[in-house]
Amino acid sequence: MTESLRNRLALAPAASATARAKLEPERAGPAEREGSNENVLLAAIPRKQYRGLFARLEPVALTFGEVLFQPGDAIRHVYFPETSLVSLLTLVDHHLALEVGMVGREGMVGLPLALGVAASPFRALVQGAGAAMRMKSAHFLAEMRQSPQLQAAVCLHTYNLMAQVAQTAACNRFHVVQERLARWLLMTGDRVRSNDFRLTQEFLSHMLGVRRVGVTMAAGELQKRKLIQYSRGSIRIIDRHGLEAASCSCYEVVSSRRC
Amino acid sequence: MTESLRNRLALAPAASATARAKLEPERAGPAEREGSNENVLLAAIPRKQYRGLFARLEPVALTFGEVLFQPGDAIRHVYFPETSLVSLLTLVDHHLALEVGMVGREGMVGLPLALGVAASPFRALVQGAGAAMRMKSAHFLAEMRQSPQLQAAVCLHTYNLMAQVAQTAACNRFHVVQERLARWLLMTGDRVRSNDFRLTQEFLSHMLGVRRVGVTMAAGELQKRKLIQYSRGSIRIIDRHGLEAASCSCYEVVSSRRC
DNA sequence: CGTAGTTTGTGCGTTGGCGTACATACGGCG
DNA sequence: CGCCGTATGTACGCCAACGCACAAACTACG
């Protein structure tokens, strides 16, 4: 049964329609497109160039559970999350998925294109609904050629992502579920800049690559320690400092690299 | 005891002097620098440019156990392995190391420099003694600016490395030691283009992030199944096909990406 | 308001790997 | 040749997580 559930999620990872509809719909509006919610990579582009660029950027509202790429898919658009959050998953044995990185407003989805490869090795799954900008692949490549600032920002993001993926690898190897869960919640909280989000334990189990029951017990323990609070698909961080203490050192390692 | 051993290796991962000396010394000579042993990235540079480049390339013999970078170290040189093999390790909790990628003649060590960051997040540990070319960081950056071909090759390698790290992450999460050991041996064999190499189980345990005893048992099983043969620091693959069957699917996933 | 579907909780037995300790075997060096 | 350091093998208790099964609670919708 667990197996079949995993299978379902791996092949059609969208949540149920009802679950989708209620996930932070108010964040998806294009109203907040400006200001500090702007994507960091786009912000790196000088304002003069940006004016021309703007015509090629298309605001999109990403919905929870949406899959932007599957491994091997041709990359037609690149995405620049603003208030949204995208998970990068590695698939293995055709039915298991593991999150290896997350991309928010500090990065982009479709990075391989910048490296000259038109296919992603990951599944890109929208994990936090919200706003993003997107651009056709050809346009993005043209912009890259024109803007050294964009190139530099993309390179830095590539470096950070690589470091994040590697740290996640080690973390998954050495740390127990509870620590990893705490880290995941903190990192997600950082990126969506909010302390509560809507996620089921089932979903979390696929991110962390463990059984759903494992999440239940880890989350139960964290709740008992008054660090988080949750019920039926919503989780709230109520003691950020405590949660940092409960998480493994990987959290500060990754988040301190933020530059 | 295990702890203290790990500690020792983490802080001073060089093997004993005797172990070092005997590890494939004949491969380190600069004699084979030419031809199909050449590094793939360097090979991407057109021969005209290469002539000028050559003056800035310095042949070096990498010895087993040598550490090229520690995490956070400034990158002074970049390395282009030819017959040598370098492991990239993520350190965690100050005493545990885990291999997240390996770089042979298909890549370079010091990649972050190409991304505009002068520090590596990894430890780079020479895992297969042999020849390499190296270049001062400043020279490498200059070459990058001059040669679009080199840029493209480096980008492709970045992509491949990212995919490899991610696959390793998932592999470490889902597969048992025996499968991972088989995969590791195959990947190493591919890169040094040989079926036997000199490595202790202790060393392997740090690559795979498991106890030495775990390696003993996994290797014992593989030997019982006539796939490998080993004794006192040397391992030989005697049935490549069988070993592929015994390894997890990650091997073919990663090695098929080779392009 | 009740029912169906989703989400969370609990309870097994099993297992792969951990930490530790100690025993054996090999091989280079005096 | 014999010794000592290094490498490998074996053993034991332990635990986190596994796979599976089913119970309980909540919510949305008819």
Side-chain angles (χ1 to χ4, degrees):
Chain A
M1 296 308 148
T2 295
E3 202 47 67
S4 85
L5 276 175
R6 285 203 172 165
N7 231 316
R8 253 205 296 152
L9 190 123
L11 299 173
S16 70
T18 53
R20 272 201 213 183
K22 67 187 175 191
L23 289 183
E24 321 189 34
E26 76 285 359
R27 291 184 150 259
E32 328 179 306
R33 219 186 306 124
E34 216 45 55
S36 67
N37 276 336
E38 194 184 22
N39 178 278
V40 170
L41 297 185
L42 296 181
I45 300 174
R47 276 299 166 269
K48 312 178 191 181
Q49 293 174 38
Y50 193 85
R51 312 238 40 157
L53 181 68
F54 194 76
R56 300 177 156 180
L57 279 171
E58 173 191 2
V60 286
L62 302 182
T63 59
F64 177 80
E66 194 175 343
V67 173
L68 303 181
F69 310 122
Q70 291 285 10
D73 277 5
I75 297 177
R76 299 180 188 284
H77 295 88
V78 296
Y79 294 80
F80 302 92
E82 294 182 331
T83 58
S84 51
L85 180 54
V86 176
S87 282
L88 303 178
L89 309 180
T90 291
L91 271 54
V92 82
D93 299 336
H94 295 298
H95 65 274
L96 292 170
L98 176 69
E99 184 187 64
V100 293
M102 42 174 88
V103 177
R105 52 189 285 282
E106 82 286 359
M108 66 179 274
V109 181
L111 193 55
L113 199 69
L115 299 173
V117 180
S120 169
F122 306 126
R123 166 183 294 165
L125 172 68
V126 177
Q127 183 240 93
M133 296 297 247
R134 78 173 189 184
M135 198 190 295
K136 284 207 170 80
S137 294
H139 290 157
F140 173 69
L141 289 173
E143 292 297 333
M144 280 281 284
R145 272 189 293 273
Q146 280 189 320
S147 172
Q149 292 93 342
L150 179 58
Q151 281 174 35
V154 166
C155 280
L156 182 57
H157 175 237
T158 304
Y159 171 83
N160 282 325
L161 186 60
M162 179 89 76
Q164 191 193 337
V165 173
Q167 191 72 34
T168 303
C171 187
N172 282 332
R173 181 72 199 78
F174 292 121
H175 298 138
V176 295
V177 174
Q178 191 175 316
E179 294 171 311
R180 277 154 55 203
L181 174 59
R183 177 172 86 97
W184 195 92
L185 293 174
L186 288 167
M187 287 186 60
T188 299
D190 286 351
R191 271 147 233 256
V192 302
R193 290 191 276 187
S194 161
N195 278 329
D196 58 333
F197 14 94
R198 302 198 55 81
L199 297 164
T200 67
Q201 297 185 355
E202 173 79 19
F203 181 86
L204 278 169
S205 76
H206 291 99
M207 294 299 108
L208 300 175
V210 299
R211 294 177 310 161
R212 194 225 65 204
V213 178
V215 175
T216 300
M217 302 196 66
E221 177 68 20
L222 292 178
Q223 185 170 46
K224 197 177 297 170
R225 289 163 63 185
K226 311 269 189 212
L227 306 178
I228 65 172
Q229 199 177 341
Y230 67 94
S231 79
R232 251 192 120 64
S234 81
I235 297 195
R236 178 188 316 231
I237 299 175
I238 54 180
D239 179 356
R240 191 155 240 291
H241 270 72
L243 199 56
E244 285 177 18
S247 85
C248 49
S249 58
C250 300
Y251 173 63
E252 66 170 321
V253 169
V254 171
S255 60
S256 69
R257 205 189 307 285
R258 185 159 294 325
C259 49
Chain B
M1 296 306 147
T2 295
E3 203 47 66
S4 85
L5 277 176
R6 285 204 172 163
N7 230 317
R8 254 206 295 153
L9 189 123
L11 298 172
S16 71
T18 53
R20 273 201 213 184
K22 67 187 174 188
L23 291 182
E24 321 187 36
E26 76 284 0
R27 292 185 149 256
E32 325 179 307
R33 220 186 306 126
E34 216 47 54
S36 67
N37 274 337
E38 194 184 23
N39 178 278
V40 170
L41 297 185
L42 296 181
I45 300 173
R47 275 299 168 267
K48 312 178 191 179
Q49 292 174 38
Y50 193 86
R51 311 236 41 154
L53 181 70
F54 193 77
R56 301 178 155 179
L57 279 172
E58 174 191 0
V60 287
L62 302 182
T63 59
F64 178 81
E66 194 176 343
V67 173
L68 303 182
F69 310 122
Q70 292 285 10
D73 277 5
I75 298 176
R76 299 180 187 285
H77 294 88
V78 296
Y79 295 79
F80 302 92
E82 293 180 332
T83 58
S84 50
L85 180 54
V86 176
S87 281
L88 303 179
L89 310 179
T90 291
L91 271 56
V92 81
D93 299 336
H94 295 298
H95 65 273
L96 291 170
L98 176 70
E99 185 187 62
V100 292
M102 40 174 89
V103 177
R105 53 190 284 282
E106 83 286 357
M108 66 179 275
V109 182
L111 192 55
L113 199 69
L115 299 174
V117 179
S120 169
F122 306 126
R123 166 182 293 165
L125 172 68
V126 177
Q127 183 239 96
M133 296 298 246
R134 78 172 189 183
M135 197 189 296
K136 285 208 170 79
S137 293
H139 291 158
F140 172 70
L141 290 172
E143 291 298 334
M144 279 281 284
R145 272 189 293 271
Q146 281 189 321
S147 172
Q149 293 92 343
L150 179 58
Q151 281 175 34
V154 167
C155 280
L156 182 57
H157 175 237
T158 304
Y159 171 84
N160 281 325
L161 186 60
M162 180 88 76
Q164 191 194 338
V165 172
Q167 191 73 33
T168 303
C171 187
N172 282 331
R173 182 69 199 80
F174 294 120
H175 298 138
V176 296
V177 174
Q178 191 175 315
E179 294 171 311
R180 277 154 55 201
L181 175 59
R183 177 171 85 98
W184 195 93
L185 293 173
L186 288 168
M187 288 186 59
T188 300
D190 286 350
R191 270 146 234 257
V192 302
R193 290 190 277 187
S194 161
N195 278 328
D196 58 333
F197 15 93
R198 302 197 56 81
L199 297 164
T200 66
Q201 299 185 352
E202 173 80 18
F203 181 86
L204 279 170
S205 76
H206 292 98
M207 295 298 109
L208 301 175
V210 299
R211 294 176 310 161
R212 195 227 61 205
V213 177
V215 175
T216 301
M217 304 195 65
E221 177 67 20
L222 291 178
Q223 184 168 47
K224 199 176 295 170
R225 288 163 62 184
K226 311 267 188 216
L227 305 178
I228 66 173
Q229 199 177 339
Y230 67 94
S231 79
R232 251 192 121 65
S234 80
I235 298 196
R236 179 189 316 233
I237 298 174
I238 53 179
D239 179 357
R240 191 154 240 290
H241 270 71
L243 199 56
E244 286 177 18
S247 84
C248 49
S249 58
C250 300
Y251 172 62
E252 68 169 320
V253 170
V254 171
S255 60
S256 70
R257 205 190 306 283
R258 182 156 300 323
C259 49

